[in-house]
Amino acid sequence: MKKIVLTGAAGRLGSYLREPLLRLAQELVSSDIIESIGTLHPNETYVRADLSDLSAMIDLLKGADMVVHFGAIGDEAPFDAILQANIVGAYNIWEAAHQNGVKRVVYASSIHAVGMHKKTDFIGTDVPHRPDTYYGLAKCFAEDLASLYWDKRGLESVCMRILSCAQVSNPRAVGSWLSYDDLIQLVEKSITTQITGFSIVYGVSNNDRATVDNSMASHLGFKPKDNAEQFAEKIYSEEEKLDPYDQGAVCQGGPFASVELGHSGVATMKIANDKKVI
Ligand SMILES: NC(=O)c1ccc[n+]([C@@H]2O[C@H](COP(=O)([O-])OP(=O)(O)OC[C@H]3O[C@@H](n4cnc5c(N)ncnc54)[C@H](O)[C@@H]3O)[C@@H](O)[C@H]2O)c1
């Protein structure tokens, strides 16, 4: 592959993907809205661009074989903010990909597209959308956009519904953890699988207590290796009793399921800032 474009390259997950993506293409174009991402790898360039600017996205995707789309507001936020970065931003990526003849969009979707489903339902990739926030609603929009651009324009997508890609720090994460190594494997499989059409897959490690079912995404060959059970005893011994009538405890979306619309869900979680630095 000649060229891959990564959006959200300055973000926490983007920081783990830059080097692996360079192994899959001759050239990586990393992009984000911030001024600079610091030291670049050989064969990597950086382009500062706003996802809500269609002409900037059309320029960014020129000559790209695939785009790995991780740029977004990564939390619940007021609707206007989500509208620009996550909804208009998604449209701009798919439209720019179409206009440039890009083969596939590999997309960081989220469990929050289906976050109001119960954890005890062990949901598959075919359950109806049931967003828990405006943030989740934007992920639903992007997944439907991916479906539309496949059906009408032949642009492939893999929508990776990531659960919790962060250090395990709470009881929910014992089921929802996606390790960084498994994230990298998932993105690699999403790129190298020959035919994906429009695919949905859950981004979750091989956790004993996983709450989602990936059997309909087996064509991607994703075989996660890590298991959060190694953290279970310590996490459960530290936490207070969970309330079975709290949406945040019983729904797939965790705290996002109980937070007020427009208010941060991430602020209620203990997420370590362990961004990878070169
Ligand atoms: N971390 C997780 O567990 C998790 C779970 C599900 C989905 N996701 C998705 O994965 C992606 C990356 O998540 P993350 O945890 O690395 O978040 P992050 O906030 O660290 O990274 C997102 C990046 O997007 C950039 N961005 C925001 N608005 C932009 C705009 N208008 N134009 C260009 N760039 C913009 C930000 O500057 C940031 O660097 C996001 O799409 C997020 O929704 C993450």
Side-chain angles (χ1 to χ4, degrees):
M1 214 176 290
K2 277 198 184 131
K3 176 168 160 182
I4 292 178
V5 174
L6 170 67
T7 69
R12 190 163 51 81
L13 304 196
S15 75
Y16 286 87
L17 293 174
R18 289 164 53 201
E19 197 262 323
L21 288 175
L22 271 162
R23 281 187 253 122
L24 296 176
Q26 290 165 20
E27 185 190 350
L28 173 67
V29 177
S30 291
S31 182
D32 205 288
I33 200 168
I34 69 166
E35 183 73 41
S36 154
I37 54 170
T39 312
L40 297 176
H41 295 280
N43 304 324
E44 179 185 29
T45 50
Y46 179 69
V47 175
R48 182 187 191 185
D50 186 338
L51 288 164
S52 63
D53 179 346
L54 177 60
S55 65
M57 291 304 114
I58 292 170
D59 284 349
L60 180 68
L61 267 52
K62 279 208 172 92
D65 298 288
M66 290 197 192
V67 52
V68 178
H69 179 36
F70 273 63
I73 293 173
D75 190 8
E76 174 63 338
F79 183 73
D80 279 349
I82 295 288
L83 178 63
Q84 290 310 315
N86 297 17
I87 296 180
V88 174
Y91 167 76
N92 290 345
I93 286 291
W94 265 270
E95 179 58 24
H98 164 65
Q99 289 193 25
N100 280 296
V102 172
K103 177 177 168 56
R104 186 176 301 159
V105 181
V106 174
Y107 175 55
S109 186
S110 168
I111 188 65
H112 299 295
V114 290
M116 295 309 295
H117 286 282
K118 300 280 180 286
K119 288 197 274 191
T120 45
D121 286 347
F122 193 56
I123 55 173
T125 52
D126 58 344
V127 289
H129 282 155
R130 204 166 165 189
D132 51 28
T133 43
Y134 296 136
Y135 167 78
L137 183 66
K139 297 296 185 187
C140 297
F141 171 82
E143 288 189 358
D144 283 350
L145 191 67
S147 166
L148 179 68
Y149 270 63
W150 167 242
D151 286 338
K152 298 298 277 281
R153 290 178 158 173
L155 171 56
E156 291 191 321
S157 295
V158 180
C159 297
M160 304 172 297
R161 285 185 187 156
I162 298 167
L163 280 81
S164 312
C165 192
Q167 287 176 24
V168 178
S169 61
N170 56 65
R172 172 174 173 260
V174 176
S176 63
W177 186 48
L178 174 66
S179 71
Y180 292 125
D181 283 349
D182 286 335
L183 167 74
I184 291 164
Q185 188 207 141
L186 178 58
V187 171
E188 284 173 350
K189 297 283 187 189
S190 298
I191 290 172
T192 58
T193 297
Q194 290 229 1
I195 297 173
T196 64
F198 163 68
S199 292
I200 294 178
V201 58
Y202 288 107
V204 65
S205 281
N206 186 30
N207 306 325
D208 288 1
R209 303 181 205 223
T211 55
V212 292
D213 176 11
N214 253 339
S215 54
M216 289 177 74
S218 59
H219 58 283
L220 295 172
F222 172 51
K223 295 268 179 246
K225 294 194 165 57
D226 291 312
N227 187 337
E229 201 57 26
Q230 60 188 298
F231 310 110
E233 199 179 325
K234 181 168 182 292
I235 294 284
Y236 289 128
S237 70
E238 285 168 0
E239 286 293 325
E240 288 169 17
K241 269 208 166 133
L242 298 175
D243 174 2
Y245 301 102
D246 171 14
Q247 302 273 57
V250 299
C251 291
Q252 295 280 353
F256 280 54
S258 55
V259 85
E260 274 293 316
L261 287 177
H263 291 239
S264 172
V266 169
T268 66
M269 300 156 99
K270 296 175 273 179
I271 296 183
N273 183 7
D274 57 353
K275 208 185 264 193
K276 189 171 178 185
V277 281
I278 298 177

